[in-house]
């Protein structure tokens, strides 16, 4: 059973059938899924959701697929961790981390790709493809393997080793393009116009992007069906932020959560901050930028959903911040040291921006705040090589150990 | 001044299903006007009333986003390759 009614243009309202179409033929606006919220309201309750498996498909009525043959690796329902020690370090009381490192390929991209792969199969595609800054490529490679589809992944050729191996192991066609992500993306749009492939973030984009709503659904469920006061979200294309906002509003619409104001904050790297820059200069016309940052997963200089991310930030009364490479590294280390969570550069951006937003008084330290940790640090280890202390090497005897004064006295 | 233009799927209804067309013009805006003569209706999809490129349209000349150049005023020379891409594509 499906509750999807149509695809509708966000700009002019023109409706289309639910095929692999992603942009309005009349105004070039993006197409979005329209659901029958009235029927969902009658069919979906807390009790029904709570009886289901602990993955994104527990919210299936609000996801855009027809059947029940999900291409799934049990993505989602990741931990929402109370972060008291990090909170103390930053001076904030009710801080939570949504730990999406726990996903099958260790980033939130498994959510969107599970939906995209499932829908692509329903639409009859046999090839799954994407343009990626790394994490998406890993997820498409894994889910494509799981679905038995051919896989093509296009990445900037200078990505981190962990992100290359993290795709290659699933045996996709991995193509490193000489250029930045925006160039990879333009090429892929041209390829998508020529080949009959399901490009998850191009022609299947309206379906794929819906997967990110499950982050909002889970956070609300894990807080006891309560909407948090503030969320901090790392931004590249702006899709994740836009959908966390949309998912929250949908839960209110179908009576799964009570209406409650939630401020949405965008976190970007200073070396690639088109959304934050546009927000701070109060404009909605984007200047694309050429990225230069260690946060390669967020290095999109021409964000497809930037305009809508800005709208969501403004509508929610939230804000935007940016972090330097050094602050990103410090953010990664602070999170690991205080909470035992090892995040990639995108999470470093989130923590650094959380800290700066608190300092600037833009985040209220007394309110319930959730920071999205969207990917694992094991994929971007190289950024830390120069900023961690060296290991202590000793001989295998007590004397050598004690001569280095490695143990503190009170532990005898 | 003849250049090749790559046409994205959503516009091919206006170009008799051609994915590549040819046009003339010394600048992007001249080229758009020239294309409008060949394929009526195209200009309205690409530009607003003030002859500015629409928010959801990206135009590239030889792989460079024209917003890094002179936008609508970006000059063209023989054999340039122009690519039109919906802005909403991609990301992540
Ligand atoms: C780990 C991580 N976090 C956040 C993002 C940002 O997502 P979006 O492009 O939807 O803004 C990405 C995108 O690649 C990512 O890899
Ligand atoms: Zn439209």
């Amino acid at each position: 059973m499906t509750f999807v009614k149509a695809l509708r243009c966000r700009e002019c309202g023109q409706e289309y059938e639910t095929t692999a179409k992603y942009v309005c033929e009349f105004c070039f606006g993006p197409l979005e899924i329209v659901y029958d919220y009235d029927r969902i309201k009658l069919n979906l309750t807390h009790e029904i959701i709570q009886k289901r498996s602990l993955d994104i498909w527990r919210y299936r009525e609000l996801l855009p697929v027809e059947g029940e043959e999900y291409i799934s690796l049990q993505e989602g329902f990741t931990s929402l961790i109370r972060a008291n020690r990090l909170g103390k370090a930053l001076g904030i009381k009710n801080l939570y981390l949504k730990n999406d490192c726990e996903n099958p390929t260790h980033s939130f991209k498994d959510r969107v790709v599970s939906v995209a792969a499932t829908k692509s199969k329903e639409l009859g595609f046999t090839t799954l493809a994407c343009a990626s800054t790394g994490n998406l490529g890993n997820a498409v490679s894994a889910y494509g393997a799981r679905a038995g589809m051919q896989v093509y992944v296009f990445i900037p050729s200078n990505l981190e080793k962990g992100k290359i191996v993290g795709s290659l192991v699933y045996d996709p066609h991995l193509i490193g393009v000489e250029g930045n992500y925006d160039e990879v993306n333009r090429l892929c749009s041209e390829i998508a116009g020529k080949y009959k492939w399901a490009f998850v973030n191009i022609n299947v984009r309206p379906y794929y992007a819906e997967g990110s709503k499950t982050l909002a659904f889970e956070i609300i469920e894990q807080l006891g069906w309560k909407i948090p006061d503030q969320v901090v979200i790392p931004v590249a294309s702006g899709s994740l932020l836009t959908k966390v906002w949309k998912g929250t509003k949908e839960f209110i619409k179908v009576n799964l959560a009570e209406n409650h104001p939630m401020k949405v904050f965008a976190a970007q790297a200073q070396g690639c901050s088109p959304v934050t820059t546009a927000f701070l200069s109060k404009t909605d016309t984007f200047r694309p930028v050429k990225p230069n940052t260690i946060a390669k997963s967020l290095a999109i200089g021409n964000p497809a959903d930037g305009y809508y991310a800005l709208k969501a930030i403004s509508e929610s009364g939230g804000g935007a911040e940016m972090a330097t490479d050094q602050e990103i590294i410090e953010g990664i280390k602070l999170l690991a040291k205080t909470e035992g969570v090892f995040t990639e550069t995108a999470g470093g951006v989130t923590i650094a921006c959380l800290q700066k937003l608190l300092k600037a008084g833009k985040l209220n330290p007394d309110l319930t705040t959730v920071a999205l940790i969207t990917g694992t640090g094991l994929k971007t280890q190289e950024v830390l090589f120069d900023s961690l202390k060296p290991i202590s090497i000793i001989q295998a005897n007590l004397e050598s150990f004690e001569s280095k004064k490695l143990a503190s006295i009170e532990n005898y | 001044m003849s250049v090749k233009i790559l046409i994205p799927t959503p516009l091919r209804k206006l170009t008799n299903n051609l994915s590549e067309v040819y046009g003339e013009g010394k600048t992007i805006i001249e080229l758009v006007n020239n294309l409008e003569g060949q394929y009526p209706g195209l200009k309205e999809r690409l530009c607003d009333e003030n002859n500015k490129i629409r928010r959801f349209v990206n135009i590239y000349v030889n792989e460079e986003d024209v917003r890094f150049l002179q936008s609508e005023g970006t000059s063209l020379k023989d054999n340039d390759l122009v690519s039109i891409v919906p802005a909403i594509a991609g990301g992540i």
Side-chain angles (χ1 to χ4, degrees):
Chain A
M1 182 152 58
T2 180
F3 295 87
V4 174
K5 289 207 289 200
L7 283 174
R8 182 191 292 149
C9 172
R10 262 194 92 148
E11 292 302 306
C12 75
Q14 175 72 33
E15 291 200 356
Y16 298 88
E17 273 178 49
T18 49
T19 56
K21 209 184 226 353
Y22 64 106
V23 20
C24 177
E25 282 171 14
F26 294 90
C27 75
F28 263 56
L31 302 186
E32 266 212 320
I33 314 290
V34 190
Y35 297 88
D36 187 343
Y37 292 116
D38 289 332
R39 264 180 58 229
I40 295 177
K41 202 190 295 183
L42 296 175
N43 281 275
L44 193 59
T45 62
H46 292 163
E47 293 68 38
I48 291 175
I49 294 172
Q50 279 162 336
K51 279 198 206 108
R52 290 179 176 164
S53 60
L54 296 175
D55 57 50
I56 63 167
W57 298 101
R58 65 203 268 108
Y59 310 108
R60 65 190 68 142
E61 285 82 353
L62 290 160
L63 295 174
V65 303
E66 308 275 327
E68 300 209 339
E69 299 216 353
Y70 309 123
I71 310 296
S72 174
L73 290 160
Q74 299 255 286
E75 54 292 323
F77 224 80
T78 56
S79 309
L80 184 74
I81 317 171
R82 184 71 193 251
N84 286 335
R85 285 168 48 78
L86 175 64
K88 200 160 175 213
L90 300 180
I92 176 170
K93 282 196 203 115
N94 295 310
L95 178 63
Y96 293 85
L97 305 169
K98 181 63 172 163
N99 186 8
D100 253 22
C101 310
E102 290 171 5
N103 277 314
T105 74
H106 317 291
S107 88
F108 86 97
K109 294 295 160 64
D110 293 323
R111 301 171 182 276
V112 279
V113 172
S114 179
V115 176
T118 301
K119 188 66 200 180
S120 300
K121 272 219 133 169
E122 282 185 357
L123 290 170
F125 286 102
T126 53
T127 298
L128 200 62
C130 70
S132 171
T133 58
N135 284 316
L136 180 60
N138 294 175
V140 164
S141 300
Y143 284 77
R146 179 118 180 117
M149 299 172 85
Q150 275 219 76
V151 175
Y152 283 84
V153 170
F154 298 81
I155 52 171
S157 58
N158 72 347
L159 280 192
E160 300 96 340
K161 276 209 184 73
K163 291 200 174 142
I164 292 176
V165 174
S167 285
L168 277 182
V169 70
Y170 305 103
D171 199 27
H173 297 273
L174 182 66
I175 296 135
V177 178
E178 288 174 11
N180 61 32
Y181 174 80
D182 299 295
E183 294 171 290
V184 177
N185 196 35
R186 177 192 42 73
L187 169 65
C188 286
S189 293
E190 291 166 2
I191 294 174
K194 223 165 173 165
Y195 294 77
K196 290 202 166 26
W197 296 350
F199 261 96
V200 301
N201 49 347
I202 302 178
N203 53 342
V204 196
R205 183 179 181 82
Y207 306 95
Y208 148 95
E210 290 284 290
S212 288
K213 294 188 309 191
T214 59
L215 263 163
F217 299 159
E218 289 172 16
I219 290 169
I220 295 170
E221 179 175 350
Q222 289 167 319
L223 288 172
W225 306 104
K226 289 205 168 58
I227 295 171
D229 302 306
Q230 310 176 118
V231 281
V232 184
I233 306 176
V235 168
S237 72
S239 172
L240 169 62
L241 185 144
T242 308
K243 293 295 177 173
V244 165
W245 181 236
K246 182 184 182 205
T248 304
K249 291 202 295 194
E250 281 184 348
F251 252 31
I252 298 169
K253 221 179 271 179
V254 300
N255 285 346
L256 290 171
E258 250 175 66
N259 198 353
H260 178 85
M262 176 178 91
K263 291 187 176 178
V264 178
F265 294 84
Q268 291 207 292
Q270 191 160 312
C272 181
S273 60
V275 174
T276 296
T277 303
F279 179 82
L280 296 178
S281 49
K282 301 190 166 53
T283 164
D284 66 0
T285 30
F286 276 87
R287 284 200 59 76
V289 300
K290 308 246 164 170
N292 177 18
T293 168
I294 57 168
K296 294 184 183 172
S297 54
L298 301 183
I300 298 184
N302 188 8
D305 277 309
Y307 173 67
Y308 293 110
L310 268 183
K311 276 177 77 159
I313 299 165
S314 306
E315 219 181 298
S316 77
E321 190 49 90
M322 55 180 134
T324 65
D325 285 354
Q326 194 52 43
E327 290 166 338
I328 295 167
I329 289 171
E330 293 308 321
I332 294 173
K333 288 167 67 178
L334 180 65
L335 178 64
K337 196 167 71 177
T338 54
E339 298 295 344
V341 174
F342 182 16
T343 183
E344 69 146 78
T345 45
V349 169
T350 301
I351 297 300
C353 288
L354 170 69
Q355 184 163 22
K356 294 174 90 168
L357 287 163
L358 279 164
K359 258 205 188 122
K362 291 181 189 153
L363 272 170
N364 185 330
D366 296 321
L367 298 179
T368 302
T369 304
V370 181
L372 302 195
I373 305 304
T374 47
T376 179
L378 288 174
K379 293 190 199 178
T380 60
Q381 295 182 46
E382 44 273 75
V383 302
L384 295 175
F385 287 165
D386 295 332
S387 60
L388 297 176
K389 54 177 188 268
I391 63 168
S392 314
I393 307 279
I394 61 173
Q395 276 106 53
N397 61 61
L398 206 50
E399 192 193 321
S400 171
F401 174 65
E402 296 199 320
S403 75
K404 296 263 179 153
K405 303 209 168 29
L406 293 171
S408 57
I409 285 296
E410 61 269 31
N411 283 345
Y412 274 108
Chain B
M1 208 75 68
S2 173
V3 301
K4 180 156 96 177
I5 305 105
L6 302 182
I7 302 291
T9 326
L11 288 181
R12 289 184 198 160
K13 277 195 185 146
L14 295 171
T15 58
N16 312 320
N17 272 327
L18 293 173
S19 58
E20 294 175 9
V21 302
Y22 290 83
E24 310 217 336
K26 288 199 285 295
T27 61
I28 286 290
I29 193 68
E30 281 189 32
L31 175 67
V32 170
N33 287 328
N34 172 273
L35 287 176
E36 174 68 16
Q38 304 183 56
Y39 307 103
L42 205 57
K43 180 173 180 183
E44 186 197 358
R45 303 292 171 84
L46 301 177
C47 296
D48 64 17
E49 315 75 52
N50 305 317
N51 281 336
K52 294 272 177 251
I53 300 170
R54 287 188 185 279
R55 183 191 304 287
F56 296 109
V57 177
N58 289 337
I59 298 183
Y60 301 84
V61 175
N62 302 329
E63 301 171 16
E64 184 73 315
D65 190 326
V66 296
R67 282 175 293 179
F68 285 120
L69 305 168
Q70 279 82 46
S71 295
E72 303 77 18
T74 302
S75 53
L76 295 170
K77 42 184 196 347
D78 253 339
N79 299 321
D80 275 349
L81 177 66
V82 174
S83 183
I84 301 170
V85 174
I88 205 63
I92 305 206

